[in-house]
Amino acid sequence: METPVSSRRRCPHTQQQQQPAPPQAPPPQTSVAQLAAEWEQSCAFVREYEAAKPRGELGAACRHVALLVGQTSRVRYVVWEKAEAVVGALNALQARGGEAALAAGCSAFAAKLLAQGSAVVEKAPAMAYPLAMLATSVGARCPALTQHLRAHFCAACCYVTPHYVRRPAGATDDAWREAMGYQRRARGFEPKEQYYNRMAGYLTLWAALLQAEAVPIYDERTEQMRMEPHANPAGAAEAWRWLARLANQKAQRITPTLLLAFLKPSAHMLARRYPRQTEKLLRFLATDYLLSVESLLAASSGASGAEERAALAVLSSWLKETREALRCGRLKPPADAVEMPDFLIPDDTREAGEGGGW
């Protein structure tokens, strides 16, 4: 963790009170049963916090934390401003109700971040980066947030573990869909395409969070923004662990969608930290692993496998381009990750003192 700048707030450390046991840090590779147990532990952790949401003033304070997350935009100053406000709100929660209140605030933050990931990132992937920057900025000064973020991500999207939910013995189609995280609609469940897109949105946001290695800081003396390096407690190691876990499991129909959503935000960071291993992994994915997916999809015909075949074609093309960029030393972060304005530019230049008027 970084040494905090003295002018920024940090959540004070106090003795832990009795709370739900946090999910354990995941080992690099585990069996299907162990992955399922890890996912179920995260789900239980989130359910326990959801069932014990505070009411009254503490509940209102938690809702305020969630409101601040929802006000984040693709402007570095706004991200910094909202992070400062969230840390201040979490400090106030802890001062008022101790560690239990702080944990409730962290849970509210994580839940709202996931809601934004579901509603916004799916349609506008560029929003993954300011949201990830916000979470990184708050987590840098409030380490308690980290366990809540991971638990909420895993509970909302089993593929963050990553875990392919097997069909329980004797389970109906509806029970299986519900276990996998399909959302209910007025008439059954969301279509498969919407489910795939929503899961991809979660993974895009998760990968953007793992690749975040700097936080925005506003310098009041110069009135300028700067990006300050931050040692991400998960970062490249967690991203590599995810890829190793996924690659060591039998591919499923949704796998191309998951890989593309995760690799697009994180490949540049992995290539910088593990250059030789990343080249080998991408080669494996582009050859043997894609062949296994092709074999899996070969049994599908017509419209039933259209989404999966389209995702496989896009992934294959992306892997080819990325491997070539890596060989030539041209693999860079996605433009959405770096092309973010420091300040909001007024739509009307008169507001900036131009064009006459008052």
Side-chain angles (χ1 to χ4, degrees):
M1 302 300 292
E2 65 172 336
T3 302
V5 176
S6 58
S7 62
R8 287 188 284 156
R9 303 184 183 98
R10 169 179 279 273
C11 288
H13 174 76
T14 59
Q15 186 176 1
Q16 290 279 346
Q17 299 178 6
Q18 186 173 2
Q19 298 173 39
Q24 298 298 313
Q29 299 172 25
T30 52
S31 67
V32 171
Q34 288 171 313
L35 290 173
E38 183 182 313
W39 169 67
E40 289 166 358
Q41 185 185 21
S42 293
C43 292
F45 179 79
V46 171
R47 282 196 303 269
E48 189 162 353
Y49 270 101
E50 289 296 309
K53 283 183 178 179
R55 300 183 180 184
E57 291 185 1
L58 290 179
C62 289
R63 289 191 294 274
H64 177 63
V65 169
L67 177 66
L68 292 168
V69 177
Q71 293 173 345
T72 304
S73 67
R74 277 188 56 81
V75 179
R76 289 194 178 100
Y77 179 84
V78 174
V79 174
W80 171 82
E81 182 182 45
K82 299 309 173 185
E84 291 295 299
V86 168
V87 172
L90 293 177
N91 283 342
L93 272 166
Q94 188 174 29
R96 187 180 305 170
E99 289 296 307
L102 172 62
C106 290
S107 182
F109 180 99
K112 183 61 176 180
L113 194 80
L114 266 293
Q116 292 293 99
S118 176
V120 179
V121 174
E122 174 191 342
K123 299 177 178 62
M127 272 302 297
Y129 297 100
L131 289 171
M133 196 180 291
L134 175 73
T136 304
S137 297
V138 175
R141 287 163 281 167
C142 190
L145 179 63
T146 301
Q147 69 186 46
H148 291 272
L149 284 172
R150 191 176 200 287
H152 275 267
F153 266 98
C154 290
C157 175
C158 57
Y159 309 109
V160 170
T161 301
H163 169 56
Y164 295 116
V165 178
R166 285 355 186 218
R167 183 172 188 153
T172 63
D173 288 346
D174 285 357
W176 190 22
R177 288 192 184 95
E178 193 163 16
M180 287 189 290
Y182 273 80
Q183 288 187 343
R184 285 193 174 272
R185 297 287 187 258
R187 297 179 179 179
F189 289 88
E190 64 185 326
K192 179 179 66 174
E193 182 180 3
Q194 289 185 11
Y195 171 76
Y196 278 23
N197 290 340
R198 195 163 51 82
M199 295 298 108
Y202 286 135
L203 271 179
T204 295
L205 181 54
W206 179 242
L209 181 58
L210 295 182
Q211 64 85 46
E213 296 178 320
V215 297
I217 302 297
Y218 176 66
D219 190 324
E220 295 181 356
R221 183 180 60 83
T222 63
E223 297 185 341
Q224 297 295 319
M225 297 298 301
R226 72 175 189 274
M227 294 300 292
E228 184 173 285
H230 165 63
N232 194 322
E238 178 79 13
W240 187 263
R241 182 184 297 116
W242 186 89
L243 283 167
R245 285 176 155 199
L246 193 79
N248 279 284
Q249 296 184 69
K250 184 180 178 181
Q252 303 296 314
R253 297 166 67 89
I254 195 175
T255 302
T257 299
L258 304 178
L259 274 171
L260 190 64
F262 189 86
L263 283 170
K264 273 188 171 182
S266 62
H268 71 281
M269 177 260 296
L270 289 168
R272 188 178 68 254
R273 294 288 296 275
Y274 315 118
R276 298 175 70 178
Q277 297 95 318
T278 299
E279 193 280 328
K280 290 179 181 178
L281 177 63
L282 293 181
R283 183 172 68 245
F284 166 72
L285 292 176
T287 53
D288 296 353
Y289 201 74
L290 285 193
L291 284 174
S292 70
V293 179
E294 288 175 1
S295 299
L296 175 68
L297 299 182
S300 302
S301 61
S304 63
E307 295 92 348
E308 291 88 347
R309 287 192 293 273
L312 180 62
V314 174
L315 175 62
S316 178
S317 176
W318 183 88
L319 284 169
K320 181 179 179 180
E321 293 174 2
T322 302
R323 291 179 65 203
E324 179 62 26
L326 183 59
R327 278 194 295 268
C328 300
R330 294 185 287 103
L331 187 56
K332 298 179 180 179
D336 290 336
V338 293
E339 295 175 2
M340 195 181 308
D342 285 342
F343 300 98
L344 183 64
I345 301 173
D347 293 329
D348 189 339
T349 56
R350 288 176 298 179
E351 295 178 10
E354 299 177 11
W358 288 80

